[in-house]
Amino acid sequence: MSHTPLLDTINSPADLKKLSVEQLETLAAEIRETIIQTVSQTGGHLAPCLGVVELTLAIHYVFDTPEDKVVWDVGHQSYAHKLITGRRGQFHTLRQYQGISGFPKRAESAYDAFDTGHSSTSISASLGIATAKDLKGDRHKSIAVIGDGSMTGGMAFEALNQAGHLHKDLIVILNDNEMSISPNVGALSSFLSRKLTSKTAVRVKKEMEHFLKSFSNVGENILSVLKKSEESLKGFFTPGMLFEALKFEYIGPLPGHKLENLIEALRNVRDFSTGPTLIHVLTTKGKGYEPAEKNPGDFHGVGPFCIETGLPVPSPPAPPSYTKVFGETLVRIAEQDPRVVAITAAMPVGTGLNDFSQRFPERFFDVGIAEQHAVTYAAGMATEGLLPVVAIYSTFFQRALDQIIHDVCLPNLPVTLAIDRGGLVGDDGPTHHGVFDLSFLRFIPNLVIMAPKDENELRHMLHTAILHPGPAAVRYPRGNGEGVAMDEALQRIPLGTGELLRQGADILLLPIGNRVPAALEAAAGLKKLGIEAAVINPRFVRPLDDALICEWANRTGKVVTIEDNVKKGGFGSAILELFAQKNLWTVRTKVLGLPDKFMEHGTQAQLRSKGNIDGPAIIVEALALCGKDC
């Protein structure tokens, strides 16, 4: 007789509430197995999700979701949440084109209280929800689940500061899988925290306070001494003094994989807390899967892998990634120039700076999840003669726009912005596509913007940017390079100079960055159809090579611009502005770029096709501009 897995019986959190703690422990094991099996095939965030299984079950077991709102910071730990909130049947489509998202998404489920993908936002959002509920007279809870890494973001502390001031009924759960706390101290603190939140303890404490206050000055003095003693004791045994200084009730640290303890503490907070409360939970990243527990960093975000070994699924040999080439080139440049320093925001591996950090530990700075600080920190270094390179994903550079304008470009400081993952990134989806940077950087005075056509050109552009006496940005895509030969010597590219890659009398294809290979592919296809297309690699978005572009626009009379960026305000807009400035009113121009909407998740190839920026799309648009059918 076959056994029906418990997970198959869970269609909503209401089903959880029918289970015993022992059954929840069995369910936790089944959820881990499902997550491992699925992510081994689809790729995704593995270690973070395995670490919060018990916490997820306890939250939904105790609270009345979706009326009680749970906001998952970043959201890369939300897979167990998805499995028990009605998406078990779709879980195999995780991060696949037209499948479920790897992050919380309000359009996907009523249980996803807030769309998240960037870190450090959960407390602000949950405080907003708590404030709205208070104004509406809604007594349901607002809960933020935030990791210790996300707590390095300044926005989290801005929210904590206001939450303490407003004294709203907000619950913040700090999922801590990094801080080292002695097991003995942690166990004692866990015991005290759970017991001191019980109904009896809370009632006795309030009655004692009321009794002492009745004795005029003497009672107040005794109460003051007792409170100071209590705070000193809690400060000695727990790391909660900071949060209590922000007027939060601090509870913890609690063992994050013991369901009985978690459920008891959460129930006590649910029933007796009336102001902002922070619950500190200790978890193990990668819990239940040995390779991920041993190397949680390697299993934070993974592609398909072999479950037995933990090794990636073998793939055909491929050229090095743009990220890897960037990292190797920066090390080479830094070997020759001691003024070069590298800065990143909690992504040393993701941005290719791991080798740099080991080779030059004194010149490498990981500032945590604090992109605004990273840019201004670099600006400060630049005023003292250093040459800082700030390597951050495009989607996260969005957070530092004011710092780029005010602290780097206004004083014209020699800071290099290494913009990784520029363009469509694939299965991480709309929260991570780097498709706005050309638009939000192009209008800033003093800033030079470059985008390489291949990995060899990336090396020369990085060299050029670092040598430039003012601010410069180099924007490159996610994924492997084109497999081109690498020049031995690094060359400095003259500012604002493009290159003519192909001559043609009928039409000019004007791609930027990673769209150059697609444009060359399209030009070859157009030739077979009797159309000769010229192709220019502009190399610079700012300043443009006005002379070269205008010469060939005049020659052909027809231009197609192509970019892996939104059309509005991007490279194509820059070309239209150029033609207007030069009075090239007769040049017919078609701008190819991403549409005015947020692109979903899928492979880069799928999304580039849907966004009308791949080789076949270029051919179709070029033919139309030339007045010919496909």
Side-chain angles (χ1 to χ4, degrees), residues 187-412:
L188 174 59
S189 182
S190 168
F191 173 80
L192 289 174
S193 296
R194 286 185 291 117
K195 295 308 178 186
L196 290 175
T197 58
S198 69
K199 182 177 182 180
T200 302
V202 170
R203 179 175 54 80
V204 169
K205 184 177 179 181
K206 288 188 178 298
E207 288 179 356
M208 180 61 72
E209 288 178 2
H210 180 72
F211 174 72
L212 288 172
K213 283 179 179 178
S214 68
F215 289 95
S216 64
N217 292 336
V218 176
E220 289 287 354
N221 290 337
I222 295 172
L223 181 61
S224 176
V225 171
L226 288 175
K227 281 189 172 181
K228 287 180 179 178
S229 298
E230 178 192 17
E231 288 166 5
S232 297
L233 182 66
K234 291 171 74 177
F236 180 78
F237 284 115
T238 74
M241 291 185 71
L242 170 63
F243 301 111
E244 295 197 343
L246 292 167
K247 300 182 180 178
F248 270 71
E249 182 70 24
Y250 173 84
I251 297 167
L254 302 174
H257 302 293
K258 293 186 177 180
L259 275 160
E260 190 170 3
N261 293 4
L262 287 172
I263 289 169
E264 181 184 358
L266 291 177
R267 276 177 175 161
N268 289 335
V269 171
R270 178 196 66 188
D271 295 339
F272 309 117
S273 175
T274 57
T277 304
L278 186 135
I279 306 171
H280 187 174
V281 178
L282 302 178
T283 62
T284 300
K285 220 171 184 181
K287 177 74 173 177
Y289 182 53
E290 187 176 354
E293 285 193 43
K294 286 183 175 179
N295 299 292
D298 293 343
F299 283 86
H300 175 83
V302 295
F305 63 94
C306 173
I307 295 175
E308 289 72 24
T309 65
L311 297 174
V313 172
S315 56
S321 70
Y322 281 91
T323 299
K324 181 177 176 61
V325 171
F326 159 77
E328 292 174 345
T329 305
L330 189 60
V331 167
R332 177 176 170 180
I333 293 171
E335 287 172 343
Q336 303 299 318
D337 193 334
R339 297 174 298 166
V340 173
V341 295
I343 302 166
T344 191
M347 298 291 287
V349 175
T351 56
L353 290 177
N354 223 27
D355 289 345
F356 189 103
S357 68
Q358 295 171 16
R359 179 74 174 78
F360 307 106
E362 74 287 355
R363 292 156 63 186
F364 170 75
F365 306 93
D366 183 348
V367 302
I369 302 175
E371 294 85 1
Q372 293 170 303
H373 165 61
V375 172
T376 303
Y377 182 52
M381 290 182 171
T383 65
E384 289 294 313
L386 296 184
L387 299 176
V389 178
V390 185
I392 297 175
Y393 290 3
S394 170
T395 187
F396 301 132
F397 257 125
Q398 292 166 189
R399 301 180 134 193
L401 178 57
D402 180 59
Q403 287 69 31
I404 294 171
I405 295 172
H406 183 271
D407 300 334
V408 172
C409 293
L410 180 60
N412 203 27

Side-chain angles (χ1 to χ4, degrees), residues 470-481:
V474 183
R475 187 231 205 203
Y476 46 97
R478 180 183 185 180
N480 297 323

Side-chain angles (χ1 to χ4, degrees), residues 29-171:
E30 294 178 2
I31 288 173
R32 280 197 171 89
E33 183 179 354
T34 300
I35 291 173
I36 293 167
Q37 289 284 349
T38 302
V39 176
S40 72
Q41 298 174 47
T42 65
H45 293 97
L46 184 64
C49 288
L50 295 179
V52 297
V53 173
E54 287 85 2
L55 179 58
T56 304
L57 291 176
I59 290 170
H60 283 291
Y61 193 73
V62 169
F63 292 101
D64 183 23
T65 57
E67 282 74 21
D68 289 331
K69 303 296 183 183
V70 182
V71 178
W72 298 89
D73 202 276
V74 184
H76 59 221
Q77 71 274 51
S78 63
Y79 293 179
H81 162 79
K82 287 177 180 274
L83 281 168
I84 62 174
T85 54
R87 285 165 279 185
R88 184 184 70 253
Q90 294 79 44
F91 196 65
H92 67 282
T93 70
L94 181 72
R95 292 159 48 92
Q96 306 300 294
Y97 183 59
Q98 297 186 337
I100 65 171
S101 171
F103 300 95
K105 195 172 183 180
R106 292 175 71 235
E108 193 176 281
S109 171
Y111 291 93
D112 292 358
F114 199 75
D115 291 41
T116 54
H118 290 189
S119 72
S120 312
T121 64
S122 61
I123 304 176
S124 297
S126 294
L127 179 59
I129 291 169
T131 302
K133 285 185 176 296
D134 189 42
L135 291 171
K136 295 189 299 181
D138 183 344
R139 300 276 72 90
H140 284 99
K141 300 292 185 179
S142 179
I143 304 123
V145 185
I146 184 168
D148 55 290
S150 293
M151 286 293 284
T152 64
M155 186 175 174
F157 284 92
E158 292 174 15
L160 287 171
N161 182 53
Q162 193 197 12
H165 170 70
L166 294 177
H167 202 72
K168 296 297 181 185
D169 187 9
L170 171 69
I171 299 169

Side-chain angles (χ1 to χ4, degrees), residues 492-529:
R492 189 170 185 176
I493 304 171
L495 291 188
T497 60
E499 59 176 348
L500 179 66
L501 299 179
R502 193 179 193 280
Q503 296 191 30
D506 298 322
I507 193 170
L508 170 63
L509 302 183
L510 205 52
I512 189 69
N514 68 3
R515 295 299 80 210
V516 172
L520 289 171
E521 170 196 326
L526 288 167
K527 182 176 177 64
K528 295 176 182 177
L529 299 172

